Amino acid sequence: MTSKARKAAACVIIFCSLILGCSGMNDNSDDAPVRVSSEVQDEVEKVSSSILEILSLKAKMTEAGAMISPCEGGTYRAHHPWGVYGPPVKDLEGAMDRLRSQLPEKGWKIVKDGPDDSRGKSPQIIADSTDGKFSVDARLHGGPSDDPAQLEVTVQSTCFRPESGSTS
């Protein structure tokens, strides 16, 4: 995958995650806790690291850090879209199987496990942390024979109210 193709893939991941989000975590702005945005971003990145450990892949990663995006009613959430690519599709499918088996063991409830709504009907796993603070959306995109497959992951926080001046 060329550098230009990786950048395009990262942009698609970011765009899709901002538009589609993950599961339907509670977006009720009245219930949203007050948080420091940078701390929520750090937490989302730590959750992403734990997901990467479950995947247990030797792969290349897209480079995108966590970012803050608006929810409703003056609330925000942290998103961390990223992806891994390079291994054969078979290895990426094994990583999806590890998510399927290990997420529930690590405090996650799988709320969707099946094809996504894309034209390609990519395999998708969506899970919410049992404490209700995070959601993860993992999708396996198989590429044409000359373009490697990619496992796309988005971790997001529940909505929060930022402390004064803490959105970045």
Side-chain angles (χ1 to χ4, degrees), residues 100-164:
R100 194 172 283 114
S101 66
Q102 292 183 32
L103 282 173
E105 295 172 6
K106 297 185 184 279
W108 293 84
K109 179 181 179 191
I110 295 176
V111 296
K112 179 178 181 184
D113 186 355
D116 69 7
D117 295 332
S118 70
R119 194 177 336 167
K121 301 293 182 199
S122 298
Q124 178 184 33
I125 297 172
I126 298 176
D128 293 335
S129 61
T130 53
D131 64 8
K133 293 181 180 179
F134 303 99
S135 182
V136 63
D137 181 339
R139 299 170 196 232
L140 176 57
H141 300 285
S145 59
D146 63 337
D147 195 18
Q150 177 170 326
L151 202 159
E152 165 193 317
V153 178
T154 301
V155 176
Q156 73 177 16
S157 71
T158 190
C159 296
F160 66 94
R161 290 189 180 283
E163 282 190 348
S164 296

Side-chain angles (χ1 to χ4, degrees), residues 12-22 67 79 81 154 156:
V12 167
I13 291 169
I14 291 167
F15 177 76
C16 290
S17 68
L18 290 174
I19 298 300
L20 300 175
C22 285
M67 64 192 100
H79 284 271
T154 301
Q156 73 177 16

Side-chain angles (χ1 to χ4, degrees), residues 17 33 69 75 79 96 120:
S17 68
S69 60
T75 61
H79 284 271
M96 289 288 279

